[in-house]
Amino acid sequence: EPAVVIKAVDMSAVSSPFRYALGGKFSKGKPVLPEIRKFFTTLDLKDAVMVGLLDSRPILITLNNEVDFLWVWARSIWYVYGCPMRVFKWTPKFHVDRESSMVPVWFRLPKLPIHLFDKQCLFHIVSCLGNPLFVDAATASYSQPNVARVCVEVDLLKTLPSRVWLDMGDGDG
């Protein structure tokens, strides 16, 4: 049986157009494709979106910018004309018959000193949990200084720490 090997460099090049792609999976019925496409035109997206079928239930949602991508992905479940659709991040290892273990998770950091609400500082703090994606509007504007909220891309197959020690530079934390 012959084996075909695609070099990592080539794989990166052919998958780059899909860096802002999501999969959508309907669990209870599915609207027809024109209705799904119409649904996405009703969202407040900055750019156009392409929607196509991957199989009988899953769809591919290709967005054109990171802001739209993160906004759609962070919601995780959308109701498209009454039909629930879960969204997940597309990767080159995507397969229509397998679930992705990568999910966006909102983390709350209560009682964090206000000077640590800086986006770069928050991203540094939560980087031990996964890939930081963005902070919510209240955190960015300092309007709710009792809690910072950060959305992080987490691999559900990895164990998360139950606690994190934050050293403030003087051994205090």
Side-chain angles (χ1 to χ4, degrees):
E1 185 172 306
V4 177
V5 177
I6 300 174
K7 296 178 187 172
V9 148
D10 296 333
M11 186 61 74
S12 177
V14 296
S15 60
S16 69
F18 303 98
R19 69 184 171 278
Y20 300 130
L22 297 166
K25 196 174 262 188
F26 290 90
S27 53
K28 295 180 182 176
K30 182 181 77 130
V32 294
L33 190 57
E35 288 178 342
I36 298 170
R37 288 180 175 145
K38 182 179 178 186
F39 168 80
F40 279 97
T41 65
T42 67
L43 301 180
D44 191 23
L45 300 174
K46 295 187 183 312
D47 287 322
V49 59
M50 290 189 340
V51 178
L53 293 176
L54 288 170
D55 202 358
S56 61
R57 285 195 185 253
I59 61 170
L60 181 67
I61 307 157
T62 308
L63 300 140
N64 289 308
N65 65 69
E66 185 178 31
V67 171
D68 288 346
F69 169 80
L70 292 174
W71 184 72
V72 173
W73 187 36
R75 176 114 172 231
S76 74
I77 295 181
W78 291 87
Y79 288 88
V80 181
Y81 298 107
C83 298
M85 177 187 71
R86 289 179 296 114
V87 292
F88 49 90
K89 183 179 180 178
W90 179 91
T91 69
K93 294 185 184 251
F94 168 80
H95 191 279
V96 293
D97 295 330
R98 290 192 298 263
E99 294 289 323
S100 172
S101 64
M102 304 303 288
V103 295
V105 176
W106 282 99
F107 287 92
R108 297 169 42 95
L109 306 172
K111 301 180 183 178
L112 194 66
I114 192 70
H115 64 284
L116 299 180
F117 275 49
D118 174 78
K119 179 181 170 184
Q120 296 307 318
C121 187
L122 290 170
F123 276 22
H124 183 65
I125 292 168
V126 300
S127 64
C128 63
L129 305 170
N131 179 35
L133 300 172
F134 54 95
V135 299
D136 72 347
T139 300
S141 67
Y142 305 96
S143 65
Q144 291 183 339
N146 62 321
V147 63
R149 287 180 22 107
V150 185
C151 190
V152 180
E153 178 182 11
V154 173
D155 186 344
L156 295 176
L157 297 178
K158 295 183 180 176
T159 304
L160 291 175
S162 59
R163 299 177 71 172
V164 175
W165 176 260
L166 179 59
D167 188 339
M168 307 277 268
D170 57 3
D172 213 5

